[in-house]
Structure formats: structure tokens, C-alpha cells
Amino acid sequence: MKLPDDDTLATATLDTPIGRLRIAAIDDGLAAVLFPNQKDAGFPKREGSAKARAHRDKALKALDLYFEGRKKDFSGLTLAASGTPFQKSVWRALADIPFGETRSYAEIARAIGNPKGMRAVGLANGRNPIPVIVPCHRVIGADGSLTGFGGGLPTKKWLLEFEGISAPRLL
């Protein structure tokens, strides 16, 4: 993940039940959430600008409340994910999946007006730079199976079960 390498970038870490998350914000909003298993490339420790720190701190508080079971959506955060227009349309559809519910790749493809774009939706889902907040973990296979996840399938299973969704057993 490549983030702006200038003085506006504000980063932090947050210890959670799924491991230490790394958070990055820029002046325009929250830019990234990284799982413990993701590489640090392009993710320097920075205090950043006052605007970026405000976005970062708001995201940290929202994630804390989520993992305490006291927050079910992240609608109050300003997001600044970098991506193509298609990716952003997928990420907006992901953000519309309510807490405690799942969708298939086909359902997301239909929701964005591209019913044959399931594979492209899967690729965009996998490039989501703001997981948990943009809930890509809520996308499962059409048969109910867990599918790939940047944080690893055990993390995806944990998040789904935390939200009250019965997830298949991992092999």
C-alpha cells in the first residue's frame, strides 16, 4: 500500500482482539487500515497534520467502540481511500452492508449495476484499503463459504462471529 510520504500523513497502531491494526490518515480522511500480517511498505510512523490526526483519532475511537461491541457502523468517518472509480463503487456498496449481515460477490455486482462483474468485484474487494471500517469481511461466497481475506480467514471468521454471523468451520 502506497500512502503520501509527506508531513500530512498521520499514523497509529491499535491493539484489538484480531491483533495490532495500523491506521493511516491524510488531510482528506482515513486512508488505510492494515492487519498485522500485512507488510509495512510505505507505512511510516508519522504524527502528520492536525487535520490528518483528527481523522486518525476519530477512526481509532470508532474502532475501539466497535471492538467493545458498542458501535455497529462507521458512518461518521471521512474516508479517503485511493482507488479506481470501479473500486470505489464496490467499496461504497461494501459500506452499505449492515452489521451482522453478509452479501455475496454476485449481490455486490448487482448492487453496483454490473451483474456479470463478480470477479472484478472480488478483486476490488481484495484491494479495499480500509478493512473492518469498509466491511469487506461481510462478503462471502454464494454458497456461504468464507473466501479470501487480507487479514487471513481466521480473522474473517472472528469478525463475522463477533457480529453474530455463523461462519463455516475453517479446515
Side-chain angles (χ1 to χ4, degrees):
M1 169 167 307
K2 184 126 172 104
L3 294 171
D5 189 19
D6 61 32
D7 292 336
T8 68
L9 182 67
T11 65
T13 59
L14 178 67
D15 289 321
T16 74
I18 59 172
R20 179 172 283 175
L21 299 179
R22 289 163 294 157
I23 314 298
I26 56 176
D27 280 354
D28 292 337
L30 182 64
V33 173
L34 292 178
F35 290 110
N37 64 327
Q38 291 177 295
K39 295 181 182 177
D40 262 336
F43 206 85
K45 289 185 178 182
R46 293 279 175 81
E47 233 355 80
S49 68
K51 281 178 76 173
R53 284 193 309 272
H55 291 302
R56 176 201 64 197
D57 294 347
K58 194 171 182 181
L60 289 169
K61 178 67 174 169
L63 283 164
D64 263 337
L65 292 172
Y66 170 81
F67 285 111
E68 290 172 4
R70 300 184 326 161
K71 185 167 188 63
K72 294 186 177 187
D73 73 67
F74 297 98
S75 58
L77 299 178
T78 302
L79 306 181
S82 179
T84 67
F86 178 81
Q87 288 170 331
K88 289 179 180 182
S89 72
V90 170
W91 300 337
R92 280 190 298 275
L94 298 177
D96 288 340
I97 304 171
F99 181 96
E101 295 184 21
T102 60
R103 300 289 185 271
S104 70
Y105 294 98
E107 288 172 315
I108 298 297
R110 284 191 298 274
I112 64 167
N114 188 353
K116 294 184 180 185
M118 295 164 295
R119 287 180 191 230
V121 165
L123 291 172
N125 192 54
R127 295 191 190 277
N128 172 18
I130 310 176
V132 181
I133 290 170
V134 175
C136 53
H137 62 278
R138 296 179 188 152
V139 180
I140 59 174
D143 62 358
S145 63
L146 295 184
T147 55
F149 186 64
L153 290 181
T155 298
K156 182 172 187 164
K157 181 175 174 59
W158 189 95
L159 287 166
L160 291 172
E161 290 177 347
F162 175 71
E163 293 186 7
I165 301 165
S166 180
R169 186 173 65 88
L170 297 177
L171 302 177

